[in-house]
Amino acid sequence: MYDLIIRNGTIVDGSGMPRYRGDVGIEGGKIAAIGKIRESARETIDADGHIVSPGLIDAHTHMDAQVFWDALGTCSCWHGVTSVVMGNCGFSLAPCGEKDKLLVMRNLERAEDISPEAMQAGIKWSWTTFAQYLDAVDRLPKGINYAAYMGHSALRTYVMGERAFDEEATTEDLQLMRDELRAGIRAGAIGFTTSRTTNHQTPDGRPVASRIANWDEVRQLVGVMGELGAGIFEIAGEDTGVEGPRLDNYLGRLKSLAVESSVPVTFGMFSSRRAPNYWRRYFETADETAAAGGRMFVQVHSRSLNVLLSFETNMPFDRIPAWREIRKLPLAEQEAALRNPETRRKLVQAANERSRNEERAVGAEARGANYNWIFPLDRPTPPYRSIAEIAAAESKDPVDVMIDLALAKNLKKFFMQTLVNENQDHVLEMMKHPRSVVTFSDSGAHVSQIMDSSLQTHVLSHWVREKEALTLEQAIRLLSFVPAYHWGLKGRGLLREGNFADVIIFDPDRINPQLPELTYDLPAGARRLKQKSDGLLATVVNGQVVLRKNEHTGAVPGKLLRGPMAQA
Ligand SMILES: [Zn+2]
């Protein structure tokens, strides 16, 4: 008698091996049998016409705060994701005592667009050290599995307080940081992360704490993991320019760090229309690192990186003086203003004359408009038509095109502003690169700016079904086994007897992201973008059905995935 049998499905097991028909029997949270199963079970799912595959793994999220108020790990769970890694880019909520929580929230607020009110209202702070934070996450009800990095900005702020935001670490500071990092890795942190990018700023325009660290501080901290022989290092990299000595210097340091410390090094990478082949240097560095005895793997996205624009959230005109007052009004009053011909004329004119010395947008904040790279969001996957193309076809001003499209939906219309990864041939080439991992949703962060929790269903709908550029077997492997392997998530990412029963069942002809929407469902009523998907029949985590057709069953079988030094 099994706990659960998934019958008659087509199994794509995550290894890349060809699919086959069969049943999956689950007992005690693990896969007990695969094949023709004659026994019965307490619960049966008929997967006829569906694919049965390992749950997907997203190793680049920022759910550190969200896990306290959202057991399910939305929106990732709605796209087949059953395990996430949080604490990326130097941002974690520990180590940090409650009295200093505003300091770590400051690191997160602008850099990751997480509302401080939501964090204040939604988190019951019960920790100081990273080990205590892990215990707190361990106790929470969880729909999916979570692994956590320790973030450099939190660690630095914990040891140095306000000094973390403008001073170099003293020998004593560094010693304290090393001690806490060592304790955190021993307690089950999956690794250590940092940010050195100018995209990561505090609300008052200062660098987040990790950016103040010199490279020797980074080396010494990564060295702690090297000494322990455990942990992964993730970095939001330096802004070195796209070629020249600064880039060479940075990549050289990254490679030496990986080789000297033996710690796997990973980072996210995009292609860019401004420097189309820049990304190749990073992949070459990963190859060279491997040849020299280190490990380096590159996190890539499955499509363009788009900021979502709307009058309800952010628009490219928000920093223009003539627009500022109007954009502060309730949506209905903005609509009334835009329907007033005189007001509208002035706004369009101001948008076209926009000043060049506006405050620089960072991270995923809306940029000034380039209408070749803004698209009305009418469907979840490409092709899209740019505002510039529509304006040319209709002989209209592009600003008018955007206003008209928005007004037609009472300003509830979304547009996409593409920042990077414009060239889809490059996107595909990067996904297929042997040293890449398809994972970069940033789930839990940039909550009113981007919605990339759907990057996994985008692979299955766009690249597998519409473009036939990847087989389903290849795609599932990229989204399950490959991240499980790199992050050392033992017993996950493959359908194998004895492995944990993280399983998704989906219709390959229907799997598709839905259009994103805006909701106000965060603690304290804070807003966020939300996106679900079609085609998922069931999502099983540790042997229990957590979602049926993407609706929560009430089960919370998710686990804290502790790093290698704390595994039972
Ligand atoms: Zn990140």
Side-chain angles (χ1 to χ4, degrees):
M1 183 77 141
Y2 290 96
D3 296 330
L4 172 66
I5 296 178
I6 302 162
R7 290 200 189 276
N8 306 317
T10 297
I11 295 166
V12 174
D13 71 3
S15 68
M17 300 289 277
R19 67 191 79 183
Y20 57 94
R21 293 289 302 268
D23 309 328
V24 177
I26 292 165
E27 207 182 303
K30 296 203 167 170
I31 298 172
I34 303 178
K36 185 72 204 160
I37 298 178
R38 289 183 174 77
E39 291 92 325
S40 57
R42 273 176 277 280
E43 191 178 359
T44 300
I45 295 175
D46 181 10
D48 189 35
H50 286 72
I51 299 295
V52 180
S53 85
L56 310 181
I57 293 164
D58 194 335
H60 196 120
T61 80
H62 293 276
M63 293 207 190
D64 310 67
Q66 184 185 326
V67 66
F68 286 90
W69 61 77
D70 173 11
L72 279 179
T74 66
C75 303
S76 293
C77 70
W78 292 322
H79 300 275
V81 169
T82 55
S83 297
V84 298
V85 182
M86 55 190 185
N88 278 279
C89 307
F91 304 119
S92 57
L93 296 182
C96 178
E98 178 157 30
K99 67 176 173 43
D100 295 323
K101 67 182 182 182
L102 295 179
L103 285 178
V104 296
M105 288 179 188
R106 188 197 294 169
N107 283 319
L108 278 161
E109 180 182 348
R110 183 170 184 206
E112 298 294 351
D113 181 36
I114 301 174
S115 149
E117 293 79 24
M119 287 191 274
Q120 291 252 37
I123 300 172
K124 190 171 168 292
W125 209 277
S126 65
W127 62 88
T128 298
T129 65
F130 198 83
Q132 290 164 343
Y133 171 81
L134 287 178
D135 289 342
V137 174
D138 207 356
R139 288 191 298 269
L140 291 170
K142 292 174 291 295
I144 61 170
N145 306 307
Y146 295 81
Y149 289 110
M150 186 191 296
H152 193 180
S153 279
L155 178 61
R156 204 167 203 274
T157 309
Y158 171 67
V159 167
M160 298 174 66
E162 280 283 353
R163 290 191 298 123
F165 293 88
D166 35 40
E167 283 182 24
E168 295 226 321
T170 64
T171 315
E172 195 187 10
D173 292 331
L174 206 47
Q175 194 52 49
L176 291 169
M177 281 192 253
R178 287 170 53 91
D179 290 346
E180 170 59 15
L181 177 56
R182 191 178 299 113
I185 297 288
R186 286 201 170 122
I190 199 157
F192 172 71
T193 67
T194 197
S195 164
R196 301 180 72 76
T197 168
T198 51
N199 280 318
H200 290 149
Q201 295 189 8
T202 62
D204 54 2
R206 292 201 291 162
V208 297
S210 67
R211 283 177 51 203
I212 309 301
N214 59 34
W215 189 250
D216 189 56
E217 178 177 327
V218 174
R219 272 187 57 223
Q220 293 219 34
L221 292 170
V222 173
V224 169
M225 294 191 287
E227 289 159 19
L228 293 172
I232 289 160
F233 175 56
E234 185 263 356
I235 178 167
E238 293 178 13
D239 304 288
T240 56
V242 295
E243 58 185 354
R246 274 172 63 214
L247 176 63
D248 298 343
N249 175 287
Y250 173 62
L251 292 177
R253 276 183 280 136
L254 216 50
K255 176 183 156 187
S256 307
L257 180 66
V259 174
E260 285 166 13
S261 68
S262 311
V263 172
V265 171
T266 184
F267 47 81
M269 197 64 221
F270 293 103
S271 89
S272 169
R273 63 186 184 262
R274 296 169 196 92
N277 289 306
Y278 159 70
W279 57 274
R280 295 184 192 279
R281 284 290 311 281
Y282 284 79
F283 281 86
E284 284 159 19
T285 304
D287 285 334
E288 289 162 14
T289 301
R295 273 179 66 199
M296 187 178 286
F297 51 97
V298 185
Q299 302 176 28
V300 303
H301 206 299
S302 66
R303 63 183 178 219
S304 304
L305 180 70
N306 297 310
V307 172
L308 289 186
L309 307 172
S310 80
F311 277 89
E312 258 188 310
T313 52
N314 310 296
M315 288 295 279
F317 317 124
D318 295 352
R319 292 155 196 268
I320 300 171
W323 282 76
R324 242 180 249 152
E325 289 309 308
I326 290 193
R327 291 286 290 126
K328 284 183 195 149
L329 299 173
L331 203 62
E333 288 173 41
Q334 292 187 44
E335 185 178 345
L338 287 165
R339 289 194 191 279
N340 175 320
E342 184 53 25
T343 311
R344 173 169 169 157
R345 196 187 54 74
K346 283 189 193 144
L347 290 172
V348 172
Q349 192 185 0
N352 284 323
E353 285 169 0
R354 55 176 311 122
S355 76
R356 297 233 156 248
N357 47 21
E358 293 165 0
E359 188 196 351
R360 189 172 89 90
V362 298
E365 294 172 354
R367 277 19 181 204
N370 172 342
Y371 300 101
N372 292 310
W373 294 105
I374 297 180
F375 308 86
L377 182 54
D378 299 317
R379 41 175 290 152
T381 54
Y384 299 107
R385 240 177 127 207
S386 72
I387 295 293
E389 285 173 279
I390 300 170
E394 297 179 359
S395 304
K396 274 164 74 171
D397 184 295
V399 184
D400 278 316
V401 171
M402 287 186 78
I403 293 175
D404 285 337
L405 287 168
L407 282 174
K409 289 271 171 74
N410 300 98
L411 300 192
K412 299 213 173 209
K413 173 92 191 165
F414 281 112
F415 303 88
M416 299 182 304
Q417 180 170 39
T418 303
L419 300 188
V420 286
N421 254 12
E422 302 88 348
N423 181 332
Q424 297 308 293
D425 294 335
H426 286 175
V427 170
L428 183 62
E429 198 181 334
M430 279 192 270
M431 286 200 298
K432 287 181 156 179
H433 193 284
R435 298 199 192 279
S436 73
V437 187
V438 183
T439 184
F440 209 160
S441 72
D442 262 341
S443 274
H446 306 298
V447 298
S448 74
Q449 299 169 333
I450 63 173
M451 179 28 73
D452 286 342
S453 304
S454 56
L455 82 81
Q456 286 83 10
T457 45
H458 185 85
V459 172
L460 301 177
S461 61
H462 180 69
W463 291 113
V464 175
R465 188 175 61 238
E466 291 167 6
K467 290 287 175 189
E468 298 181 340
L470 293 170
T471 65
L472 197 53
E473 287 83 348
Q474 288 171 323
I476 293 293
R477 181 178 184 277
L478 292 179
L479 299 170
S480 61
F481 172 69
V482 173
Y485 173 80
H486 281 300
W487 274 269
L489 305 182
K490 290 203 188 96
R492 301 187 196 272
L494 283 174
L495 295 187
R496 287 277 187 276
E497 289 166 12
N499 273 7
F500 294 103
D502 294 345
V503 186
I504 55 170
I505 305 159
F506 63 93
D507 181 344
D509 299 326
R510 284 186 56 238
I511 188 97
N512 214 35
Q514 295 177 355
L515 282 169
E517 53 185 299
L518 187 73
T519 64
Y520 291 81
D521 66 353
L522 293 188
R527 69 190 182 184
R528 69 164 174 160
L529 294 158
K530 176 175 153 181
Q531 185 174 28
K532 298 184 90 171
S533 72
D534 293 319
L536 272 159
L537 182 68
T539 302
V540 177
V541 175
N542 297 315
Q544 293 184 40
V545 183
V546 170
L547 299 167
R548 270 184 206 281
K549 295 190 173 159
N550 264 343
E551 294 299 329
H552 190 202
T553 59
V556 282
K559 289 182 187 158
L560 171 70
L561 304 180
R562 291 189 192 259
M565 299 201 74
Q567 277 165 16

